[in-house]
């Protein structure tokens, strides 16, 4: 695996972890701001992973 592939996988795992954390927080009845923060972080990690792939395809 290349460094970019490792980083891409790590970012996608972070996104999945944040989505799971949002789901747990939602089931617990936590504050909606905490849930939204987890979802925003998941989206951020997914976008970073997509950018990483876009950057490597251009080379």
């Amino acid at each position: 695996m290349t460094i970019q592939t490792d980083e891409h996988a790590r970012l996608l795992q972070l996104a999945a972890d944040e989505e799971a954390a949002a789901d747990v927080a939602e089931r617990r009845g936590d504050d909606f701001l905490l849930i939204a923060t987890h979802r925003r972080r998941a989206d951020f990690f997914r976008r970073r992973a997509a950018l990483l792939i876009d950057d490597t395809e251009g080379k």
Side-chain angles (χ1 to χ4, degrees), residues 28-56:
R28 276 193 314 239
D30 287 346
D31 186 73
F32 74 95
L33 291 174
L34 176 64
I35 297 164
T37 298
H38 282 301
R39 300 227 190 268
R40 277 194 307 274
R41 287 173 53 90
D43 185 54
F44 170 80
F45 291 131
R46 280 191 296 275
R47 283 186 279 121
R48 294 295 295 173
L51 285 173
L52 186 64
I53 293 300
D54 289 346
D55 287 346
T56 59

